[in-house]
Amino acid sequence: MRKRLSSFIALSFSAMLLLAACGTKESGSTTSSEGEGEQKEVLRVGMEAGYPPFNWTQLDDANGGVKIEGNAEYAGGYDVEIAKKIAEGLGKELVIVKTEWDGLVPSLQSGKIDVITAGMSPTEERKQSIDFSDNYYTSNFVMIVKKGSKYENATSIQDFSGAKITGQLNTSHYGVIDQIEGVNKQPASDNFPAMRVALESGVIDGYVSERPEGISASSANPNFVMVEFTEGFVADEEETAVAAGLKKDSELVDKINEILADISEEERQNIMDAAIKNQPAAE
């Protein structure tokens, strides 16, 4: 009888320990383990990881690549480096969430991500849905064409009259194409890798981009040339600037602006130069 009672007590005590251990497990994805018994809040940052040199996908953590959530791959690029600084300034652990371009704003609004750093411009249209930080990069529009094509030496956007031109879906890149008289505007593309393939195969004559991506494309593929204009596209600064996207009335806006203010223009340019240099050889 005593032996049975002792066994019962031992089993009951073990069950209590098991339940207690289960009860201490954190639920959700807002924290991650750091050391023994410590928990650190995470900052979930969304990007498409397909717009070099702003963001791209790579196979390892070379040059500061950050693991993509739920993926064996890593993200690198200018946006990743800015996201690192934001997360560090907020005292949080950076988590990269790879998201299709059209899914970024809905993911932010639904709470799946906390911030967007994806080469996104703070246009008035987007400001109706989300808030933005101060700008963390400003560029200008260019055209990417095939080397040796009749458009290689273009100086004006009007030199592309009759050309098959496209840009990324739901971006100002695609909208400014209408400034070219007589252009053969093609359907918008979902992403930049797809446009590079279309250009290489001759499906299009060129695509509109920003200077950093233009340098990236022409560096990655010797058959591509970036065309900069003396008579270029007319665009507001908000269309060529890049800022972090945040949920409406987010308390993070002011905090992130303080962090960005501490990054000098020289440092920003150095980060961009490094991103261009470190981009994958091909997308």
Side-chain angles (χ1 to χ4, degrees):
M1 178 67 178
R2 172 187 271 178
K3 187 174 181 180
R4 290 182 179 177
L5 181 60
S6 298
S7 298
F8 176 78
I9 292 173
L11 288 171
S12 298
F13 184 69
S14 298
M16 290 173 65
L17 287 176
L18 181 61
L19 288 172
C22 292
T24 59
K25 185 178 180 180
E26 293 287 339
S27 59
S29 57
T30 58
T31 59
S32 65
S33 60
E34 185 181 78
E36 292 186 9
E38 295 181 9
Q39 296 289 327
K40 187 174 183 180
E41 289 188 25
V42 302
L43 183 73
R44 300 172 60 80
V45 176
M47 61 184 67
E48 57 184 327
Y51 179 36
F54 286 98
N55 54 77
W56 65 71
T57 301
Q58 60 188 50
L59 298 178
D60 54 32
D61 62 356
N63 301 311
V66 176
K67 189 81 161 55
I68 297 172
E69 184 181 56
N71 197 312
E73 297 172 316
Y74 294 73
Y78 185 84
D79 289 323
V80 173
E81 296 304 314
I82 295 298
K84 284 182 185 179
K85 289 185 176 294
I86 291 173
E88 181 182 0
L90 294 174
K92 298 185 178 185
E93 180 182 342
L94 175 61
V95 173
I96 299 294
V97 183
K98 187 173 182 178
T99 309
E100 291 295 327
W101 177 260
D102 276 354
L104 286 169
V105 171
S107 292
L108 183 66
Q109 292 173 322
S110 67
K112 292 182 180 179
I113 57 177
D114 304 308
V115 183
I116 297 170
T117 61
M120 182 173 282
S121 299
T123 62
E124 288 301 321
E125 181 179 358
R126 291 191 183 113
K127 287 179 180 178
Q128 294 177 18
S129 302
I130 62 176
D131 286 339
F132 284 93
S133 70
D134 293 337
N135 300 337
Y136 62 81
Y137 197 82
T138 302
S139 186
N140 58 285
F141 290 133
V142 297
M143 191 80 77
I144 313 303
V145 302
K146 286 283 287 292
K147 189 173 185 177
S149 73
K150 65 178 183 179
Y151 303 106
E152 181 179 358
N153 298 313
T155 58
S156 167
I157 60 172
Q158 303 309 333
D159 292 335
F160 287 87
S161 178
K164 294 178 291 184
I165 304 299
T166 190
Q168 189 178 29
L169 182 69
N170 294 329
T171 66
S172 50
H173 301 170
Y174 192 66
V176 297
I177 295 174
D178 295 330
Q179 296 178 23
I180 305 172
E181 297 177 7
V183 70
N184 186 355
K185 189 175 184 180
Q186 299 296 295
S189 180
D190 287 336
N191 54 65
F192 281 81
M195 286 190 286
R196 291 186 183 187
V197 171
L199 180 59
E200 182 73 60
S201 63
V203 173
I204 58 174
D205 295 313
Y207 67 85
V208 178
S209 186
E210 292 177 55
R211 192 172 188 277
E213 195 280 335
I215 296 173
S216 172
S218 56
S219 297
N221 189 328
N223 292 323
F224 292 168
V225 174
M226 177 181 70
V227 177
E228 297 185 85
F229 302 105
T230 54
E231 298 178 23
F233 295 104
V234 177
D236 294 332
E237 182 180 342
E238 67 176 23
E239 296 179 316
T240 55
V242 171
L246 298 122
K247 203 169 183 178
K248 275 291 185 184
D249 302 317
S250 171
E251 62 179 17
L252 294 178
V253 174
D254 291 339
K255 296 177 182 178
I256 289 177
N257 285 341
E258 290 178 8
I259 295 167
L260 295 177
D262 286 336
I263 309 174
S264 67
E265 285 301 319
E266 180 180 4
E267 185 177 3
R268 294 180 195 210
Q269 192 56 56
N270 288 338
I271 294 172
M272 179 57 77
D273 290 345
I276 292 171
K277 177 184 177 182
N278 296 330
Q279 65 172 329
E283 280 292 312

